[in-house]
Amino acid sequence: MSEILTIILLTGLSGSCILIGGILASFDHIRPLWIEREVRHGVIAFGGGILLGAVSVVLVPEGIASMGHSMFSIPIVLLGGVAFFIVEKRLGLKKHDSPQLLGMMLDYIPEAIALGGLVALGSPVAPLLALFIGLQNLPEGFNSYREINHNNGNKSSKTLLTMSALIPLGPIAGIIGYVFLSDYEAVLGAIMLFASGGILYIIFQDIGPQSRLAKHWAPPLGAVVGFCLALFSDMLVTSS
């Protein structure tokens, strides 16, 4: 299989999880109501755990290695966090019509670019990163469904069509990374570290607070499950 086809396949499958998450969210009104709340908040926490796992077991280690373990890795992570802070503040994401959707795109596209670069470098962790992107897109697509559906006048078919249109962004970003970063490993590492800083900001600014549910203690366990799943996936790849 050619590398371009591999990128399209990996990014396409991980991007399709956006739509799958939306389809799952379209089955609304779980009864009793407290179970519905637990499920939705648990899904948010699970997404946060997956994001944290992606940062800790792939993006940061691979990014630092690609930059030759340079101390400049640290300010790049900080720069990513600051950049996401500026974007959220300038665009007023707290009052924005689609904060979940925009947040998903902010981490999905840089990760897809990094994935394309990793395939170009022949990195064995490229499929693992694709898996993490898909796993995080699933709950993010689930949580984005409601706000997109609201903007579309609560028309489920139109919402799912909108979410389907987002899938090609992954392959496009992946091919860009493959074409332009194959000879620039340090730049690829910088992108992964920059994305890591942004993801960490999103976890603690948006995902963590949303996962909490008053007088309910189970949903945050989703974050633990998500992180353990990411850790298990990494151990499975590195031990083979």
Side-chain angles (χ1 to χ4, degrees), residues 15-159:
S16 67
C17 290
I18 297 173
L19 178 60
I20 294 172
I23 293 172
L24 293 175
S26 67
F27 295 98
D28 210 347
H29 306 303
I30 303 172
R31 290 293 180 267
L33 186 60
W34 70 268
I35 293 181
E36 179 179 343
R37 289 198 298 264
E38 292 265 357
V39 168
R40 292 193 176 277
H41 285 259
V43 167
I44 292 173
F46 177 78
I50 289 293
L51 284 170
L52 184 59
V55 168
S56 59
V57 304
V58 175
L59 293 175
V60 168
E62 289 295 315
I64 292 175
S66 296
M67 293 193 65
H69 298 275
S70 169
M71 291 297 289
F72 285 108
S73 300
I74 297 173
I76 291 175
V77 174
L78 289 172
L79 182 61
V82 171
F84 276 55
F85 158 74
I86 293 172
V87 169
E88 184 166 78
K89 185 176 181 181
R90 290 290 177 87
L91 298 182
L93 292 188
K94 289 298 183 182
K95 298 179 180 179
H96 196 274
D97 287 338
S98 302
Q100 290 279 349
L101 176 63
L102 189 52
M104 179 172 62
M105 291 296 101
L106 285 174
D107 56 56
Y108 173 43
I109 293 176
E111 287 176 327
I113 292 173
L115 177 59
L118 288 174
V119 171
L121 295 173
S123 174
V125 302
L128 181 62
L129 179 58
L131 174 63
F132 286 162
I133 295 173
L135 287 174
Q136 73 191 43
N137 280 342
L138 190 63
E140 287 180 337
F142 184 95
N143 295 317
S144 297
Y145 173 85
R146 274 193 166 182
E147 62 186 17
I148 301 174
N149 198 44
H150 175 73
N151 294 339
N152 285 336
N154 296 316
K155 296 181 179 179
S156 180
S157 59
K158 185 177 180 181
T159 298

